[in-house]
Amino acid sequence: MKNIFTLLLFLIFNSIFAQQITGSWMGELDIQGNKLPLIINIQKEKDGYKSTLDSPLQGAEGIPIDKTSFVNNELSFENTAMNAVFKGKMKNSEITGTFTQNGMALKLTLKPFDKTKNKDKTLEVIKLSNIPESLKKIDDFVSYLEKNNALAGEISIFKEGKEIYTKNFGEKNLPDFKNTHTVYQIGSISKTMTAIMIFKLIEKKELNLADQLSKFFPQIPGSEKITISHLLNHSAGLGDYVQGKTDPRWLTKKATDQQIIDRIIEQGLLSEPSSNQQYSNSGYYLLTKILEKISKKSYAENLNEYIIKPLQLKQFYTASQQPSNVYKPYSYDKKWNLITDFDFNTIVGVGDIATTPYNLNIIINAIFDRKLVSEESLKSMIPEENRFGKGLAIVPFHSKIFLGHSGGTYGTNSLMIYNGEDNLSISYSLNADRLGIAGNEFVIAVLSFLYGMEYEFPKVK
């Protein structure tokens, strides 16, 4: 009799749990301040559950889920094609857990959702607009900036791995214009190149993400607690050696390796490793030196082996090559004035590379085509819940998520981003800006045109 009673209780509880979990559940992924709603629709089957996923902002509904499980108040589901997994715990009619896709992990809380009573017509579906029309708008925009002597630089846009638009603009408006200038300083986009080469060492078993900094630089404060992983995703807690103690721009002049190491030691640990992310040029300077120590080759030689030769790149330089064909940076005060930029030999591997936007698009596509790093390495490079991954960062635009890196020197702003859903990449470098739009506004304008959103040209006085 006891066994029958236990069985009845088991059947009753399972029936209750099934009723609790079936139906629709909605939550929002917070991606750098942008809310992306997701709805999972769960049905009970004889031997378990089946479900589908809706992404209203992306215009997707009824995406099949490969596996759905609800055991001991824990819900899990996964979609192999999307490389997406969710695991969460039900408590008080809410399911709290983590949604992971392509290595990016985001918190997600699901709440009961009645689709029949909640048809939100205000949700905007963000999709690529008519490409030829979008490119015409972009061309009108950059031509407007050039005509009004407001901005100078170069942009390249790839679709399906091929260039569909490029324009060099505004350079003839600047002093000392030369047709021989062909490349731009890309600043911290160099860090993505450094990360690629570090992962090549890891793939060759010559380095490990868990290796401690003390193995290479025991004199750095906290080095026994800092790992290669910490250095790659800016969670080492180190300062930023680029910031001088008395002269903020001390690296416009030559500095020795020892002076730089001394500055890193002097700054010490600003926070405990892994406690938070704080952007650190010091971490990537140390990664560059570790790369050179292990490979017994210069940074330039490593670039040639791991990136330049495999992709057959031209016009791609590191500081030691002293390229003479770099567009100079300018600021505006009644007229264009030359900016004193870094001595780029002081930021090798950190922000010293000079190249073209076309090459940046070649590189970002090669990364996601697994031509430069393995699948496992790529997953590690992609950010999780934080902005910075190990060599790549999140660049959100409404419901769209781009991955890549930005770069800024004292006079040039650059960006390299990729969206796998639309197989779209955008890269540019801007070396003269009198409107203050080179930082974020320029890419917002370009993406607005590509996704059919309203954008008003900035006024030029």
Side-chain angles (χ1 to χ4, degrees):
M1 192 70 185
K2 181 179 178 182
N3 289 338
I4 294 174
F5 182 69
T6 303
L7 177 61
L8 285 171
L9 280 177
F10 177 78
L11 291 173
I12 290 169
F13 280 129
N14 272 285
S15 176
I16 291 170
F17 284 140
Q19 291 171 8
Q20 284 181 325
I21 197 65
T22 55
S24 295
W25 299 76
M26 183 176 180
E28 288 184 327
L29 297 174
D30 188 338
I31 306 172
Q32 289 298 296
N34 289 273
K35 305 294 185 181
L36 179 63
L38 290 180
I39 302 168
I40 183 170
N41 312 291
I42 304 173
Q43 294 179 2
K44 183 74 176 75
E45 288 192 317
K46 182 178 180 180
D47 299 323
Y49 299 89
K50 69 175 183 178
S51 61
T52 60
L53 192 67
D54 303 340
S55 180
L57 274 180
Q58 295 174 313
E61 189 171 4
I63 302 169
I65 297 296
D66 299 321
K67 297 178 183 178
T68 304
S69 171
F70 185 65
V71 179
N72 296 329
N73 267 12
E74 290 185 348
L75 172 68
S76 65
F77 60 82
E78 64 179 272
N79 179 294
T80 305
M82 293 168 55
N83 197 20
V85 176
F86 173 81
K87 293 182 180 180
K89 185 87 172 178
M90 176 185 280
K91 184 178 181 181
N92 298 328
S93 297
E94 290 187 358
I95 304 169
T96 303
T98 302
F99 183 87
T100 304
Q101 184 175 23
N102 293 323
M104 179 166 56
L106 299 167
K107 296 184 187 310
L108 179 63
T109 298
L110 297 168
K111 298 180 181 180
F113 181 74
D114 188 342
K115 290 180 69 173
T116 62
K117 297 180 180 179
N118 291 275
K119 293 185 181 286
D120 191 345
K121 297 180 180 179
T122 65
L123 289 177
E124 186 175 6
V125 176
I126 305 296
K127 292 184 178 180
L128 280 176
S129 188
N130 180 279
I131 293 294
E133 291 179 5
S134 297
L135 297 181
K136 174 63 167 58
K137 290 178 181 179
I138 292 171
D139 194 67
D140 289 344
F141 176 61
V142 295
S143 296
Y144 166 82
L145 296 171
E146 180 176 49
K147 182 180 178 180
N148 287 277
N149 193 24
L151 199 70
E154 187 170 315
I155 181 173
S156 170
I157 301 174
F158 275 35
K159 184 82 171 74
E160 312 292 341
K162 302 293 183 183
E163 188 172 62
I164 60 171
Y165 180 79
T166 182
K167 187 158 189 171
N168 183 288
F169 59 95
E171 299 298 348
K172 292 182 180 180
N173 295 331
L174 303 176
D176 196 31
F177 170 75
K178 294 179 181 178
N179 288 322
T180 54
H181 291 162
T182 56
V183 299
Y184 296 84
Q185 298 292 162
I186 64 169
S188 287
I189 299 177
S190 303
K191 291 182 175 68
T192 299
M193 315 307 160
T194 301
I196 288 169
M197 295 185 288
I198 289 293
F199 275 104
K200 294 308 290 184
L201 295 184
I202 292 170
E203 290 170 16
K204 292 163 64 177
K205 311 297 183 185
E206 296 178 8
L207 187 65
N208 193 292
L209 284 172
D211 284 345
Q212 296 174 329
L213 179 59
S214 57
K215 182 177 178 180
F216 307 97
F217 290 97
Q219 69 271 42
I220 303 296
S223 61
E224 72 284 354
K225 297 183 286 185
I226 297 171
T227 65
I228 298 299
S229 179
H230 292 143
L231 296 173
L232 282 165
N233 70 2
H234 300 284
S235 63
L238 294 171
D240 187 346
Y241 81 95
V242 170
Q243 301 298 318
K245 185 176 182 179
T246 57
D247 180 4
R249 296 194 174 191
W250 73 297
L251 294 180
T252 56
K253 301 174 183 177
K254 184 178 180 180
T256 65
D257 286 341
Q258 188 58 55
Q259 287 174 314
I260 292 171
I261 291 294
D262 288 345
R263 179 62 183 147
I264 294 173
I265 293 171
E266 181 183 41
Q267 289 178 320
L269 276 182
L270 303 184
S271 61
E272 282 298 305
S274 79
S275 63
N276 59 62
Q277 285 189 326
Q278 181 166 326
Y279 193 82
S280 173
N281 286 298
S282 298
Y284 272 79
Y285 175 85
L286 295 169
L287 286 169
T288 299
K289 294 305 173 185
I290 290 169
L291 170 69
E292 292 179 331
K293 282 186 177 185
I294 293 175
S295 67
K296 296 181 172 57
K297 296 177 183 177
S298 70
Y299 188 75
E301 289 171 325
N302 278 289
L303 276 175
N304 191 55
E305 178 180 350
Y306 293 119
I307 297 176
I308 297 173
K309 273 191 174 181
L311 300 181
Q312 298 182 337
L313 299 180
K314 297 179 181 179
Q315 301 189 85
F316 193 96
Y317 310 97
T318 187
S320 62
Q321 295 167 301
Q322 300 180 331
S324 60
N325 56 335
V326 181
Y327 283 104
K328 303 299 182 185
Y330 291 86
S331 62
Y332 193 86
D333 183 11
K334 297 181 180 179
K335 64 176 183 177
W336 290 113
N337 299 294
L338 186 65
I339 293 173
T340 301
D341 217 324
F342 286 96
D343 178 328
F344 288 97
N345 286 290
T346 64
I347 53 172
V348 172
V350 175
D352 72 304
I353 292 173
T355 190
T356 64
Y358 177 86
N359 280 345
L360 294 181
N361 274 333
I362 291 289
I363 290 167
I364 194 70
N365 279 274
I367 291 172
F368 284 93
D369 286 341
R370 285 70 169 172
K371 292 179 180 178
L372 292 177
V373 293
S374 68
E375 176 75 23
E376 185 178 355
S377 295
L378 178 58
K379 285 182 178 179
S380 191
M381 291 179 72
I382 292 173
E384 294 181 358
E385 71 273 12
N386 296 311
R387 179 184 177 191
F388 298 111
K390 298 178 179 68
L392 294 172
I394 293 174
V395 180
F397 180 74
H398 295 274
S399 64
K400 295 293 179 180
I401 299 299
F402 285 79
L403 293 167
H405 214 292
S406 61
T409 70
Y410 289 137
T412 302
N413 284 279
S414 300
L415 187 68
M416 172 188 75
I417 54 174
Y418 171 86
N419 177 274
E421 180 186 5
D422 294 324
N423 206 344
L424 176 74
S425 63
I426 303 164
S427 295
Y428 61 75
S429 290
L430 307 171
N431 63 311
D433 171 24
R434 70 183 181 100
L435 297 180
I437 66 172
N440 292 313
E441 192 66 21
F442 185 79
V443 70
I444 290 172
V446 171
L447 290 172
S448 295
F449 297 133
L450 285 168
Y451 287 98
M453 305 185 71
E454 292 295 322
Y455 181 84
E456 184 178 347
F457 287 11
K459 294 180 180 179
V460 181
K461 296 180 181 180

